Amino acid sequence: ILFNKKIIRSENELKLCFEKDSRFIIAVGTPLHRKKLYDLMIQNGGEPVNLISPNSSIGKINNFLGKALNIMNNVVITTYIRIGNGVLINTGSIITHDCVIGDFTEICPGVKIAGACVIGENVFIGTGAIILPGIKIGNNSIVAAGSVVKSNIPDCTMYAGNPAVLKKHIK
């Protein structure tokens, strides 16, 4: 038991737990780990719920929020934003107008995403990164902490620096 919550160690324990309450949140692991846990929970009858800090500001105009979100303290999400399932948006991050954030993406503390950006699925954006307007970041990519992204990032790559440049391809 951790913080008065049972730690589930097997699929059988999960099924027993869901007999009492099928709601779940996922607040651990990398984007790919969170996706695997989400799929397992859904397959076993789980009902994903969102964890959204009351200290965050989410615009009311044409926003779509997926399931199993974690939106932490002091996050600002403006308008015309689509956020997929299982996304983690950490403390102090800002996402401005007309952005799309793909499923199971992790946005670390203090990230700034300017308008009209498209962030793929299973993306990891490190602490303090800045994504300039109109940028597209491909699926399964990594943006290192403190990077400034000025050009599109293809799928399965890691970029770092100011300006962010290709550091490696990810298998």
Side-chain angles (χ1 to χ4, degrees), residues 59-80:
K60 304 285 186 226
I61 300 171
N62 288 343
N63 286 337
F64 171 82
L65 301 179
K67 299 175 182 176
L69 302 180
N70 289 290
I71 300 175
M72 303 313 209
N73 287 327
N74 302 314
V75 168
V76 175
I77 297 170
T78 64
T79 57
Y80 295 91

Side-chain angles (χ1 to χ4, degrees), residues 79-121:
T79 57
Y80 295 91
I81 309 288
R82 185 199 180 285
I83 299 173
N85 295 330
V87 172
L88 167 60
I89 305 172
N90 220 315
T91 303
S93 292
I94 299 172
I95 303 171
T96 63
H97 65 89
D98 300 293
C99 287
V100 175
I101 311 295
D103 292 345
F104 302 98
T105 285
E106 182 172 343
I107 299 170
C108 291
V111 169
K112 311 287 188 278
I113 301 175
C117 290
V118 177
I119 312 298
E121 295 183 1

Side-chain angles (χ1 to χ4, degrees), residues 24-42 48-50 66-70 82-89 100-108 119-125 138-142:
F24 71 89
I25 60 169
I26 300 172
V28 297
T30 67
L32 292 175
H33 288 118
R34 284 197 317 278
K35 170 139 181 40
K36 285 181 182 178
L37 285 170
Y38 179 90
D39 290 345
L40 178 67
M41 302 275 200
I42 295 295
V49 295
N50 293 337
K67 299 175 182 176
L69 302 180
N70 289 290
R82 185 199 180 285
I83 299 173
N85 295 330
V87 172
L88 167 60
I89 305 172
V100 175
I101 311 295
D103 292 345
F104 302 98
T105 285
E106 182 172 343
I107 299 170
C108 291
I119 312 298
E121 295 183 1
N122 308 315
V123 172
F124 178 89
I125 302 175
N139 296 330
N140 305 304
S141 292
I142 297 170

